Amino acid sequence: MFYPRAATERPTVPRGWHLENVSITAADGTRLVGVLAMPAVARPPLVIYFGGNAEEVTSFAPLVADVYGERAVLLVNYRGYGESGGKPGEAALVSDGAMLFDWAARRSDLDATRIAIHGRSLGTGVAVQVAAMRPAKCVILTSPFDSALEVAKAIYPWLPVSLLIRHPFDSMARAPRIVVPALFLMGEADTLIPIGHSQRLAAAWGGTVERASFKGFGHDDLDLNPGYREALRSFLDRHL
């Protein structure tokens, strides 16, 4: 489920942006480390990004302007990833995600009324649960799944997966209660999380849903399609 990656080099941000180092202590004493990328505008809206299972999220900092426009972006690594301490687990990652939302909402230099949550792959399981707990303005889900359990059942049909899986990330159970707008970004050639899992979650979403699917693109190369960023930026322009 989890493939932690160490931080390899200090991240950079686009020209004119400010990079703030972030170190936050969770309730159990675990230190979470990342960065906050700030554009040169007053009290910008914020995107909180939850990455995939082998992603060191601060490495995403140089791309924030191209992907999100002039919006602040919070990139804090999961437990055990980058320079963050502890070990990853579903309950801890969700609790940490809610704490990061609260931390950002208390800052006077950010617009707390305009916070978006973006999750990718594994991060969609965190993003959905945080969105169910906190007043996000909108949600973006890249390669999302209905539940990690359902994905695992499809991959290992000969195993008693429901007895073995420790982190089910059941987004399907929470989606109907989330009424904010959501954008679903999906690769039609995704073999790790086949598009059917994403479509089932989209159908269960309680708020308005926009879908963007990309023919010939899979799980890891989805963001290389120019239409990916266009769809994402257009969604944020309308909802954030």
Side-chain angles (χ1 to χ4, degrees), residues 49-230:
Y49 178 68
F50 298 108
N53 67 1
E55 189 173 358
E56 195 283 298
V57 295
T58 68
S59 65
F60 189 38
L63 303 176
V64 291
D66 288 340
V67 176
Y68 300 113
E70 289 191 326
R71 299 170 176 93
V73 184
L74 183 60
L75 303 165
V76 175
N77 277 304
Y78 300 139
R79 294 169 179 240
Y81 288 63
E83 297 180 1
S84 292
K87 294 182 179 180
E90 179 178 357
L93 266 56
V94 171
S95 176
D96 294 343
M99 180 191 68
L100 291 174
F101 189 104
D102 295 341
W103 175 86
R106 289 193 297 267
R107 291 182 62 118
S108 61
D109 57 348
L110 297 171
D111 186 347
T113 67
R114 293 190 294 160
I115 298 178
I117 296 173
H118 180 193
R120 179 167 187 167
S121 188
L122 171 69
T124 67
V126 180
V128 168
Q129 293 192 51
V130 174
M133 299 163 61
R134 295 295 187 269
K137 186 73 172 178
C138 59
V139 176
I140 301 166
L141 301 175
T142 300
S143 306
F145 49 82
D146 42 3
S147 77
L149 175 59
E150 292 303 317
V151 174
K153 284 181 178 179
I155 297 173
Y156 306 108
W158 61 90
L159 292 176
V161 175
S162 59
L163 300 178
L164 299 173
I165 195 164
R166 296 175 57 196
H167 311 284
F169 284 104
D170 190 357
S171 295
M172 194 74 167
R174 297 167 174 87
R177 304 196 301 270
I178 305 173
V179 297
V180 299
L183 172 65
F184 284 69
L185 298 159
M186 304 165 285
E188 294 184 10
D190 193 332
T191 56
L192 182 60
I193 301 177
I195 194 171
H197 292 282
S198 302
Q199 295 285 24
R200 282 191 286 276
L201 183 64
W205 197 261
T208 58
V209 170
E210 298 179 31
R211 297 174 174 87
S213 59
F214 302 94
K215 187 176 181 179
F217 285 79
H219 195 77
D220 296 324
D221 62 353
L222 183 58
D223 57 345
L224 299 180
N225 187 308
Y228 176 90
R229 294 186 187 184
E230 292 173 6

Side-chain angles (χ1 to χ4, degrees), residues 10-44:
R10 177 171 171 76
T12 60
V13 286
R15 185 175 182 178
W17 284 56
H18 171 69
L19 185 70
E20 177 183 328
N21 293 321
V22 173
S23 179
I24 303 173
T25 302
D28 65 354
T30 300
R31 190 170 71 105
L32 305 177
V33 179
V35 296
L36 174 65
M38 293 283 285
V41 297
R43 295 193 74 243

